[in-house]
Amino acid sequence: MTNPLLSDWDTPFKLAPFDKISDTDFAPAFEEALIAHKAEVDAIADSAESPSFANTIEAMEVAGESLNKVLSVFFSVAGADSNPAREDLQRAFSPKLAAHSAEISANKALFGRIKAVWEARDSLDLSEEQQRVLMLTHRGFVRGGAALEGADDDRMKEIKGRLAVLGTEFTQNLLADERSWFMPLEEGDLEGLPDFAIDAARAAGEEKEAGGPVVTLSRSIIVPFLQFSPRRDLREQAFAAWVARGANGGETDNRAIAGEILALRQERAQLLGYDSFADYKLETEMAKTPEAVRGLLMDVWAPAKAQAEADAAVLTEMMHADGVNGDLAPWDWRYYAEKRRKAEHDLDEATLKPYLQLDRMIAASFDCATKLFGLKFRELDVPLYHDDCRAWEVTRDGAHVAVFIGDYFARGGKRSGAWCSAMRGQAKFPEVQGPVVINVCNFAKADPALLSYDDARTLFHEFGHALHQMLSNVTYESVSGTSVARDFVELPSQLYEHWLEVPEVLAEFATHADTGEAMPAAMLKKVLGAANFDQGFATVEYVASALVDLAFHEGDAPSDPMAKQAELLTELGMPAAITMRHATPHFAHVFAGDGYSSGYYSYMWSEVMDADAFEAFEEAGSAFDPETAKALETHILSTGGSVDAAALYKRFRGRLPGVDALLKGRGLAA
Ligand SMILES: [Zn+2]
C-alpha cells in the first residue's frame, strides 16, 4: 500500500487525507520525500544545459513537492495536536531537515548556476516578479553561506544544524513547563471569578484529572485569574509560575540554551561579513537597519512609559484603599486594572463575554471579507486532524478561491498562542494551485464558546493573515501570501483588527448567547471607548521585549543573557509593576526559531502602517469603501513578496507612514 502522505491526494480540493494518515506514516514518507527532493536538486545542479531562469530558478520552485506535502501535514499536527510520538518524530526530523537545507544552500554547483543567471539578469527579459524571485533566490544563497569556502563553510553548517536542534529544545522545554504546572483551587478560591473563568478552571481540572478546578499556564486561563481573583497570595503564586516558564532549573531550563543560540547567531553573522546578527537580519526587512528599529521603538517608549507610570499611581491608590499596603506588584496590575475598567468604563469582561460568541465572531470576520472583497464561505464536511477543526470553501463570483480551516480551541498538545499557516500556498506555476489556509487559536472550549474582547481581536488578526494567503495572486509560490518581509507581514493581520471596531460590525454580530439580543448601544459605545484602556501597560510590556531582543543581537552576544536583560530593563527604567511580555527563557518568538529574532519590533512597525492604512478607509468615508478595498487587495493582499514592501506600501498609500498615527491609535499622543 502506498503511503497516504505520498499518494496523489484524490480528495475534495486535494486536501490531505487526514483520516488515512497515521503517525507511523510520517517517518517513512519523510525519508522518501527527502531523498526525492535531493535527487531533484542534484539534477538541477548537475544539468548539462547552460543555466537559464527556467532550468534553474523555476526548476527550484517546483522541486520538493512530496516533501512539502509531508511537512505541511506533519507541522500542522505537531504544532496544533502533538503527542509523545509526534514529539519524538519532531526531534528526529529537525536535525535531518536542517542538514538537508544546509546541503542545498551549500551546493556549489547549484549556487554557480544561480549566480550565472543572476549575473545575466539584464539580458533575460524577465517580468518584475521573475526578477524579484531571482534576486531573492540569489540573496538567500549568499546569506545562507553558499559563497563560503573551507573551514568557514564547515563551521557554518555546524552552526545551522545546532541552531535547529536548540530551537526545537527551547520549544519543547517551554511546552513541558506549561503542561506540568497547575495550581489546584478549593471551591472557596473561585470567589470573585466570573462564570467563564470558573468553567475554564473546571474543564482544565478535568483534563489534568486533578479532582477539582485548577489554574494552568494557558493564557486563556491564567490571565482571567490574574484579572479577577481577589486572592493576592494565589495571584502571586500563579504569576510566579507563569514568568518562570523555561527558568525552573533542571532538564527543561532554557537559559543556557538562549545563551548558546545568541553566541551562534553572532558567529554566523560574522562569518557572512556582517558586524552583528541584527545587521544581517534587518538587511531583508522594510526597516533595513538596527538604528531605524531603535528609533521607532524609543519614539514610542517615552510616551508609553509616562502613561504606564500615571496608571500605576492610580492602581496603587486603589490597592491601598483595598487595605493592601506597600507597592503595586506585577500580579496586582491586571486585578486593579480590571477594577478600574469596571469603575471608569462600567464594562467588565464577564458582562461583555456572552455577547462575543465564537460562532458569531467567525461570521463577523467572514462578513467583513464579503463586504470588502466579495468572498463567500461555505462550510465543508471533510476529515481533518482533530474533531474541533472546521473547514470552509472560499469562493468569489462562483469561482474557487481557497479552503479555510479553523482550529479554535485550547487543548493539551497544542502550542500556546495563535497562528496562521498555509498547508498549501497559492501559485500559478507550474499550474494553478489554490491555497489551503489554517488559523489555530487557543480559546477556552465551552458550549457556546465565548470570547474575551482580546480573543475576538486575535480571531480577526489571524483571519487577516489568512486573507493575505487566500487573496494571493502571484505566479511563484515562494513569493505568495505571507512570504513577505517580517516587518510587513503583520500589516494585513493588524489592519484587519480594525474591522472588529467598526460599530456596525459589533452591532450586527455581538449578540447575547442566551437572549440573542444585540449588544446594547451603551455597551457598544463603552467597548469601543475601552479599546485604548491600559495601553500604557500593553505598550511598555511589548516595547521592553522588543528592545531586549534587538540589544541581544547587536554586537557581541551577551555571556549571560539574563544579566543583560536585567541591565537593559534598569537602563530603560522599566516600571516595577510591569514585566516583559515575554522574558528570555520563554521568548519563543526569538528563540524557538529564527523568525522574530531581532524582529520582535516588527509587530509595532506594522502597527504604524495598519493605523495609517485604515485611515485611508476613514478618509474615503467608509470602512467598506470599495475603491480603497480594491487598492488594498491589488497592492498589498494579492502581491505577496513579489515586490519590495516599502514600494508596495507607497503604491497603496502614495507615501510611507510615520509614528504619529500609531500613538494616536493607542491613545498615547500628547
Ligand atoms: Zn500575526
Short mmCIF file of all heavy atoms in Angstrom, two decimals, residues 461-462 465 490 493 603, ligand 1:
data_model
loop_
_atom_site.label_atom_id
_atom_site.label_comp_id
_atom_site.label_asym_id
_atom_site.label_seq_id
_atom_site.Cartn_x
_atom_site.Cartn_y
_atom_site.Cartn_z
N HIS A 461 -7.33 39.07 13.80
CA HIS A 461 -5.91 39.18 13.44
C HIS A 461 -5.48 37.98 12.57
O HIS A 461 -4.94 38.16 11.48
CB HIS A 461 -5.08 39.23 14.73
CG HIS A 461 -3.61 39.28 14.51
ND1 HIS A 461 -2.89 40.46 14.60
CD2 HIS A 461 -2.70 38.31 14.18
CE1 HIS A 461 -1.61 40.20 14.34
NE2 HIS A 461 -1.47 38.91 14.09
N GLU A 462 -5.74 36.79 13.08
CA GLU A 462 -5.31 35.60 12.34
C GLU A 462 -6.06 35.50 11.01
O GLU A 462 -5.51 35.03 10.01
CB GLU A 462 -5.50 34.33 13.17
CG GLU A 462 -4.65 34.28 14.45
CD GLU A 462 -3.17 34.55 14.23
OE1 GLU A 462 -2.65 34.26 13.14
OE2 GLU A 462 -2.51 35.08 15.16
N HIS A 465 -4.25 37.48 8.41
CA HIS A 465 -3.17 36.69 7.80
C HIS A 465 -3.74 35.72 6.76
O HIS A 465 -3.17 35.53 5.69
CB HIS A 465 -2.44 35.85 8.86
CG HIS A 465 -1.50 36.62 9.73
ND1 HIS A 465 -0.51 37.43 9.24
CD2 HIS A 465 -1.38 36.67 11.08
CE1 HIS A 465 0.18 37.95 10.24
NE2 HIS A 465 -0.32 37.51 11.38
N GLU A 490 2.78 41.57 9.42
CA GLU A 490 1.68 41.82 10.36
C GLU A 490 0.76 42.95 9.90
O GLU A 490 -0.21 43.26 10.58
CB GLU A 490 2.22 42.12 11.76
CG GLU A 490 3.03 40.98 12.39
CD GLU A 490 2.23 39.69 12.60
OE1 GLU A 490 1.01 39.78 12.83
OE2 GLU A 490 2.84 38.62 12.51
N SER A 493 -2.80 41.53 9.02
CA SER A 493 -3.47 40.98 10.20
C SER A 493 -3.88 42.08 11.16
O SER A 493 -5.01 42.11 11.64
CB SER A 493 -2.56 39.96 10.88
OG SER A 493 -1.30 40.54 11.14
N TYR A 603 5.97 43.81 14.98
CA TYR A 603 4.54 43.99 15.24
C TYR A 603 4.21 45.48 15.30
O TYR A 603 3.21 45.95 14.77
CB TYR A 603 4.12 43.33 16.56
CG TYR A 603 4.13 41.83 16.52
CD1 TYR A 603 5.23 41.11 16.97
CD2 TYR A 603 3.03 41.13 16.03
CE1 TYR A 603 5.24 39.72 16.94
CE2 TYR A 603 3.02 39.74 16.00
CZ TYR A 603 4.13 39.05 16.45
OH TYR A 603 4.13 37.68 16.42
ZN ZN B 1 0.21 37.92 13.41
#
